[in-house]
Amino acid sequence: EGWPRALEPAYLPVAGRPASPARAVEIARAWLGTPYVHQASAKGQGTDCLGLIRGVWRELYGCDPETPPAYTRDWAEGSGLETLLAAAGRHLVAVPSTAAGPGDVLVFRYRPGLPAKHVAILASTASFVHAMEGGPVTEVALTPWWRRRIAGVYSFPGIES
């Protein structure tokens, strides 16, 4: 019948580099200071929030999960579709928000009624690493403002605690 989606060979960690929540956080923190560049995914050169997640994925698995189509800064408002949550569901493993832990991917919805359009890596129970327009990749506090906007929590496939 084939591999379950989360266990397909393309999702197996790079040989000799075991995937773990701590490894995902270590990789994300290595991107700190990378300038914000829309649609980019190059550590130290430029990235947006999706590019950060793609970069962590590449270091864990050796390749991108898929090539995202070109997108504008306001892409989600134009279509109204939950494109980001759909992509997360295709490649990551859904986790109850109450079980979120370091190394998990957080998907945020800025306003009720609008599609989710921001992603980050949970670095600790109190902080996350993300890329936002206007600044470099940073680790910031997971304040109540951010917590209220979590639309989904996902773990990287094949990662063991």
Side-chain angles (χ1 to χ4, degrees):
E1 190 68 38
W3 290 79
R5 184 72 176 157
L7 296 178
E8 289 180 4
Y11 290 4
L12 297 177
V14 174
R17 297 169 67 192
S20 68
R23 176 87 176 114
V25 172
E26 174 188 334
I27 294 167
R29 285 180 170 151
W31 286 66
L32 292 173
T34 298
Y36 181 90
V37 176
H38 180 65
Q39 292 188 354
S41 182
K43 181 171 42 176
Q45 297 175 31
T47 192
D48 61 10
C49 65
L50 179 58
L52 173 64
I53 304 306
R54 290 174 52 219
V56 172
W57 180 285
R58 280 194 308 274
E59 288 196 48
L60 290 173
Y61 304 106
C63 62
D64 272 310
E66 68 180 62
T67 302
Y71 51 94
T72 62
R73 286 176 170 81
D74 64 349
W75 60 269
E77 287 88 355
S79 70
L81 300 175
E82 291 286 5
T83 307
L84 197 53
L85 285 172
R90 283 193 303 276
H91 301 291
L92 303 168
V93 179
V95 173
S97 60
T98 55
D104 285 342
V105 175
L106 304 176
V107 181
F108 296 98
R109 180 184 321 281
Y110 287 127
R111 291 193 325 213
L114 290 179
K117 59 180 285 183
H118 187 61
V119 289
I121 302 284
L122 190 60
S124 72
T125 56
S127 68
F128 63 95
V129 176
H130 72 145
M132 276 190 81
E133 192 166 6
V137 174
T138 59
E139 184 168 339
V140 299
L142 184 58
T143 62
W145 189 93
W146 283 107
R147 287 183 190 278
R148 286 191 304 273
R149 285 159 177 80
I150 294 174
V153 178
Y154 299 85
S155 63
F156 289 98
I159 284 192
E160 298 175 8
S161 300

